[in-house]
Amino acid sequence: YCEKFQVLDASAYLKERSGDIIGALQLILKSIDNAISNLWDVFKSDFEAKKITASNVKNNSYYINSDKVTKIGEALTMAIGLCQRHGEEEIKMNLLWNNLLDACLKSQQKISTQIKTPAYRTKYASPEIRHLMKQTVNDIVSRILQAMMTEKNIDLVDIFNKLVDKESSEKYEYYKDTIDLMLSTYKYETQMLKTANNLFRNGFYNTYKNEVNTAGAAYKYAHDDAAYSKSCNICDSFISDIAGNRLRIFYCG
């Protein structure tokens, strides 16, 4: 009944509880895709009602206060939360995140294609409408990238292969800062890993070196102002304090 009457959060919850994680995600993604498609007419209606103007699009006030955009954001939050809750298994985690990113990239590409189509440019003649459509899908992808950046065991190479388009970089203008942040974070973590490895390596080397020196020179003379006293370099006991049957001295040159 929840799915029949399009109660999204309840339907997704029931599917998740029944173990159909992929089905729950697909249900949310279908709802997001339908909502994005309906935005064309929503924005056109608001434009004709003078709710969309060049100024409130430029200062982002219309976009921030749009109920339809907010609902898409809430559905996206549900999808991201679903992926985060089921990240225990690496295979399942990558499958969920890849499905989420692929679906939203597909929606982004569809909107980008529609914007260039003469039929859409005629029907939705206002540049503000086209700008809002582009902003909506780009913000969705940006939010997904930000969420994926905080997850472990996600291959950045796969993500960039999905994002990089050699023919055009225009469509990434809204989340290029996110990609730059991902790269800088990756560079920082790589440097931290190298530093930690160097510390462990140097620490192990120094410890091993001390052990070798100790094992090779267990017998030493400890010098002070009063006299020479024989001591063990391993236990630091004086030779004179050790019982004769417990004392072994090896000549190593």
Side-chain angles (χ1 to χ4, degrees):
Y1 287 102
C2 293
E3 193 169 349
K4 179 180 178 181
F5 292 101
Q6 298 182 350
V7 185
L8 178 61
D9 52 351
S11 300
Y13 173 78
L14 292 174
K15 282 185 175 292
E16 182 181 0
R17 291 287 292 176
S18 65
D20 187 7
I21 311 302
I22 300 297
L25 180 61
Q26 293 297 336
L27 184 65
I28 299 172
L29 292 176
K30 182 179 178 181
S31 174
I32 292 175
D33 185 61
N34 291 335
I36 292 173
S37 298
N38 292 334
L39 277 181
W40 281 109
D41 292 328
V42 172
F43 289 156
K44 181 181 179 181
S45 176
D46 285 351
F47 180 79
E48 292 173 349
K50 307 298 183 181
K51 294 180 181 179
I52 294 178
T53 62
S55 60
N56 65 18
V57 169
K58 186 176 181 180
N59 63 26
N60 222 29
S61 61
Y62 172 82
Y63 182 80
I64 294 173
N65 296 316
S66 173
D67 292 337
K68 298 297 183 181
V69 174
T70 300
K71 288 183 179 180
I72 292 176
E74 292 172 352
L76 181 62
T77 300
M78 289 177 54
I80 291 174
L82 181 68
C83 295
Q84 291 173 335
R85 286 193 298 274
H86 297 277
E88 307 89 8
E89 300 177 17
E90 184 175 347
I91 296 177
K92 182 185 290 185
M93 178 191 68
N94 285 321
L95 179 61
L96 291 172
W97 282 110
N98 284 331
N99 283 347
L100 176 58
L101 181 60
D102 288 344
C104 292
L105 285 175
K106 184 178 178 180
S107 295
Q108 183 192 52
Q109 185 61 49
K110 182 177 71 174
I111 296 300
S112 179
T113 302
Q114 289 173 345
I115 289 174
K116 299 175 183 178
T117 304
Y120 272 82
R121 296 182 72 88
T122 301
K123 184 177 181 179
Y124 308 100
S126 169
E128 285 79 15
I129 295 176
R130 298 194 294 271
H131 174 84
L132 288 169
M133 291 300 300
K134 183 188 295 185
Q135 182 179 0
T136 301
V137 290
N138 285 342
D139 281 352
I140 288 173
V141 175
S142 179
R143 281 191 59 189
I144 295 171
L145 292 177
Q146 289 175 353
M148 294 180 74
M149 189 173 62
T150 63
E151 295 296 315
K152 298 179 180 179
N153 302 320
I154 291 183
D155 192 349
L156 287 177
V157 176
D158 288 343
I159 296 177
F160 291 128
N161 284 338
K162 295 177 184 296
L163 296 177
V164 173
D165 183 356
K166 296 180 180 179
E167 297 179 358
S168 173
S169 60
E170 180 183 353
K171 63 181 180 179
Y172 304 122
E173 61 180 316
Y174 285 98
Y175 56 87
K176 62 182 180 181
D177 291 338
T178 302
I179 296 178
D180 289 342
L181 180 61
M182 292 175 67
L183 290 172
S184 62
T185 302
Y186 178 73
K187 183 178 180 181
Y188 171 77
E189 291 179 349
T190 302
Q191 190 61 42
M192 287 293 293
L193 178 61
K194 290 181 180 179
T195 302
N197 285 337
N198 288 334
L199 289 174
F200 284 125
R201 190 181 299 112
N202 292 334
F204 175 77
Y205 171 77
N206 291 331
T207 301
Y208 182 73
K209 181 180 178 181
N210 291 335
E211 291 293 338
V212 170
N213 291 338
T214 299
Y219 178 69
K220 69 176 182 179
Y221 282 100
H223 177 68
D224 54 27
D225 294 338
Y228 290 102
S229 59
K230 300 176 182 179
S231 63
C232 175
N233 198 24
I234 296 177
C235 65
D236 288 330
S237 298
F238 292 115
I239 300 298
S240 58
D241 295 337
I242 301 176
N245 60 352
R246 294 181 57 200
L247 178 63
R248 288 188 174 87
I249 299 178
F250 297 92
Y251 177 74
C252 60

